[in-house]
Amino acid sequence: MATVTARDVLLCTVSLLNFVFVFGTGAEFVRFISFRAIYQNITGGPPLCHDSVPWSVALRSSSVLRAVGVDLGLVVLFALQHSLLAWGPVKRSLFSVFGVLNRAFYCTTTALALQVLMRCWQPVTDAPCLWSVSSAPWDTWFPLICFTLHFLCWAIICSILLIFDYPELLGIKQVYYECLGLGDPLSLKSPRAQRLYSHLRHPVCVELAVVLWLLPALPLDRLILAGSLSTYLVLAHSLDTQDCEYLSAQLHNKLHLFTLPPESQTEATNHKQD
């Protein structure tokens, strides 16, 4: 039996606290992106924008310009954190400081950046909507359609994260392997898997694009958020043909695994090579 040291307990405690914080932030981000924007349309809440105000007046309003400036600054802050800490030299420097907790530190700072963005975000209510579905019967049905598609997209996102080794993405698996003396879990994966992980920073681009843009009404602040994050996702995309072929093969293997009897599934899982 492996001896549990105080260092192991500390590492496990930190990684679990990181998991709780990141998971809670993710749930709050779902509410911020989808629930708040759609729920007000379904329940008839306060308007997200004023279509009676012309753009020429709105773009000269100090309140609108101040809100736009704050929102752009928050998006830039998140993008800088998310990119700078993933940059090679910075990543190696942080690893020398945090060691096996490096991934957990990255996830924690990402969650902190999202918390700042969500809590300091300024809705732009004194400007027109870019679009607004307000004609019957679509003013009732379209928000329900958006709600259904958002729910499906978030379900797909959660499924993809589970497929891509959610404990490793949050830094829990690294700590677990360290405590057992197994080394870095990524080093145990195949070269093709390591190559994919080095390119695939955001495996849910299409689903995130849907939840960012598919809304009953698009106010100016949502345009800033959706446009900025969509641009960031496109710029961060670096998959090539080999990565897509590997993903297709892995998906085929996983689907084939579900068609096998339980005994064969256990044997195939034991011999599976990532």
Side-chain angles (χ1 to χ4, degrees):
M1 178 180 294
T3 303
V4 178
T5 65
R7 177 177 177 273
D8 295 339
V9 174
L10 179 61
L11 290 176
C12 292
T13 302
V14 172
S15 64
L16 289 176
L17 289 175
N18 166 71
F19 169 78
V20 173
F21 179 57
V22 173
F23 185 84
T25 300
E28 192 172 353
F29 185 67
V30 172
R31 179 198 63 80
F32 177 77
I33 289 291
S34 295
F35 186 77
R36 181 176 66 94
I38 298 176
Y39 181 76
Q40 287 181 302
N41 290 84
I42 295 178
T43 60
L48 299 173
C49 46
H50 291 290
D51 292 328
S52 59
V53 179
W55 279 106
S56 58
V57 174
L59 294 178
R60 290 198 301 266
S61 171
S62 59
S63 61
V64 171
L65 295 177
R66 182 171 55 253
V68 168
V70 171
D71 293 343
L72 286 174
L74 292 171
V75 172
V76 170
L77 175 65
F78 171 77
L80 285 176
Q81 175 278 325
H82 212 55
S83 297
L84 186 61
L85 269 66
W87 186 38
V90 175
K91 193 173 182 179
R92 287 189 292 271
S93 299
L94 290 175
F95 184 80
S96 65
V97 176
F98 294 100
V100 72
L101 291 175
N102 184 50
R103 181 65 190 180
F105 175 78
Y106 179 77
C107 293
T108 297
T109 53
T110 298
L112 282 173
L114 282 178
Q115 288 286 350
V116 172
L117 184 147
M118 292 185 291
R119 297 183 185 280
C120 298
W121 191 259
Q122 301 292 309
V124 182
T125 58
D126 295 330
C129 284
L130 276 297
W131 70 68
S132 179
V133 179
S134 56
S135 302
W138 290 107
D139 58 341
T140 299
W141 285 107
F142 191 66
L144 294 176
I145 293 173
C146 291
F147 176 83
T148 303
L149 292 178
H150 277 230
F151 178 83
L152 291 175
C153 285
W154 286 118
I156 293 172
I157 288 173
C158 291
S159 301
I160 292 175
L161 291 177
L162 290 175
I163 292 174
F164 274 88
D165 205 344
Y166 188 69
E168 184 175 352
L169 290 175
L170 289 185
I172 297 176
K173 195 171 185 179
Q174 289 86 333
V175 172
Y176 174 74
Y177 273 47
E178 173 72 13
C179 294
L180 295 180
L182 300 177
D184 183 7
L186 184 60
S187 65
L188 302 179
K189 296 183 180 294
S190 68
R192 296 181 67 189
Q194 294 184 38
R195 185 179 188 276
L196 172 68
Y197 275 47
S198 66
H199 290 173
L200 189 62
R201 293 183 58 190
H202 305 96
V204 289
C205 295
V206 175
E207 294 79 7
L208 281 177
V210 171
V211 300
L212 285 171
W213 290 100
L214 184 64
L215 293 171
L218 189 77
L220 181 57
D221 64 288
R222 184 53 177 245
L223 174 66
I224 294 172
L225 181 67
S228 301
L229 292 183
S230 298
T231 302
Y232 181 77
L233 289 172
V234 171
L235 293 177
H237 178 75
S238 59
L239 291 182
D240 56 19
T241 304
Q242 295 184 45
D243 295 323
C244 292
E245 291 175 352
Y246 176 75
L247 280 173
S248 177
Q250 289 300 304
L251 178 60
H252 179 269
N253 292 337
K254 291 179 184 296
L255 293 176
H256 177 67
L257 185 63
F258 287 123
T259 64
L260 298 176
E263 297 81 5
S264 300
Q265 288 186 15
T266 302
E267 183 180 352
T269 302
N270 292 333
H271 292 85
K272 176 177 173 290
Q273 176 65 36
D274 291 329

